[in-house]
Amino acid sequence: MRPTTDGRRRPRRPAALLAGVPLLAALVTGCGVLPELPEPMPSSVVPSFAQQAEPVGSENLSPDGFDAVKRMAVRIRNVGCSSLSTGSGFALDDRTLITNKHVVEGSKSLQVLTYDGRDIKVETASAAGLADLAIVRTSDDLPSAPTLAAADPVQGEAVTVVGYPEGGQLTVTQGTVVGTTTDPLHSNLGEVLVTDAQVEPGSSGSAALNADGEVIGVVYAKSSNASLLVPVSTLRSMLDDTSAFAPVPACS
């Protein structure tokens, strides 16, 4: 419990999904409540508010001044039958996006917007049955795509997260890998990465990059003081398994 200015105690916020899609019955203002992260959790995890350095790829500026890291990120709008929510994603290749399952579920249509405000038409969306991952195919080319890292990062490794928190402006935040934990959403998945990189609702599906600009994980949830990533090893193994993803049914 934390004291407020008037002396009352304020409860700590539980871990929450980062997109506004109604994945769980307990959604409140766009965030679904998750169980507390299992022990042991690192005790030194704190949000990173330090001044951010230029992200990897900033030397590869496009004519409009955006670097390769920023051009790979997309904003995803989930237009449901009775709701509208936003999330983030990143290009895997010219016409394939990676995002979270809960970003695309329950949609009537999906709208993908690039860093320069272009609307990209969505062809199909499919979601994984195990991890909080989804694949979105587009009919138009995407501006830029990163490289997937060959292995998961180690504790202490730098992390850069690129996405659209709160459905707003493109944002780059940085932190470090502070450890791993058992996935609180998918107990059969195994270990996920814990970082102190600051993320917010709408950051779901953001790419987490290492110092070489390679994807080391996919943001999918947060607690009061940490963000959770599906590790790149899980992403790679599921992309190699053609049966891992199934079409996402439209809302009714």
Side-chain angles (χ1 to χ4, degrees):
M1 303 281 283
R2 296 178 295 174
T4 62
T5 55
D6 60 3
R8 291 179 296 178
R9 310 291 284 182
R10 177 180 301 154
R12 296 185 181 276
R13 290 162 49 185
L17 286 176
L18 300 175
V21 180
L23 179 63
L24 300 177
L27 278 176
V28 179
T29 63
C31 291
V33 178
L34 300 180
E36 289 292 330
L37 292 175
E39 297 294 334
M41 275 291 291
S43 59
S44 59
V45 181
V46 293
S48 175
F49 295 103
Q51 183 175 357
Q52 306 300 335
E54 286 297 314
V56 174
S58 59
E59 70 280 4
N60 301 319
L61 294 178
S62 59
D64 54 11
F66 285 82
D67 58 58
V69 166
K70 294 177 181 178
R71 285 186 277 122
M72 58 168 251
V74 299
R75 178 167 38 200
I76 301 174
R77 289 177 181 164
N78 180 319
V79 181
C81 293
S82 60
S83 63
L84 173 67
S85 60
T86 64
S88 302
F90 63 94
L92 184 64
D93 57 38
D94 287 347
R95 296 194 177 189
T96 307
L97 296 173
I98 296 296
T99 186
N100 289 149
K101 178 180 181 178
H102 73 263
V103 169
V104 300
E105 280 187 322
S107 67
K108 184 177 180 180
S109 66
L110 295 172
Q111 300 171 350
V112 172
L113 293 89
T114 63
Y115 74 100
D116 54 358
R118 287 192 298 121
D119 288 305
I120 301 293
K121 184 178 178 181
V122 171
E123 291 280 330
T124 62
S126 56
L130 181 61
D132 197 346
L133 294 172
I135 295 174
V136 177
R137 309 284 186 186
T138 67
S139 57
D140 302 317
D141 286 348
L142 299 160
S144 178
T147 300
L148 299 183
D152 293 339
V154 298
Q155 186 173 356
E157 190 168 334
V159 173
T160 298
V161 175
V162 187
Y164 292 87
E166 307 288 356
Q169 294 185 344
L170 180 63
T171 302
V172 178
T173 59
Q174 295 175 322
T176 58
V177 176
V178 297
T180 62
T181 189
T182 302
D183 184 3
L185 280 177
H186 311 89
S187 58
N188 293 328
L189 178 59
E191 296 292 295
V192 295
L193 301 173
V194 183
T195 85
D196 59 7
Q198 187 180 6
V199 297
E200 299 295 340
S203 296
S204 282
S206 297
L209 311 171
N210 62 17
D212 295 322
E214 301 169 329
V215 175
I216 52 88
V218 184
V219 175
Y220 77 102
K222 66 173 287 187
S223 68
S224 59
N225 59 0
S227 55
L228 303 181
L229 312 178
V230 177
V232 69
S233 59
T234 299
L235 175 59
R236 280 186 172 278
S237 65
M238 299 197 78
L239 290 174
D240 289 339
D241 182 1
T242 57
S243 65
F245 294 83
V248 177
C251 64
S252 58

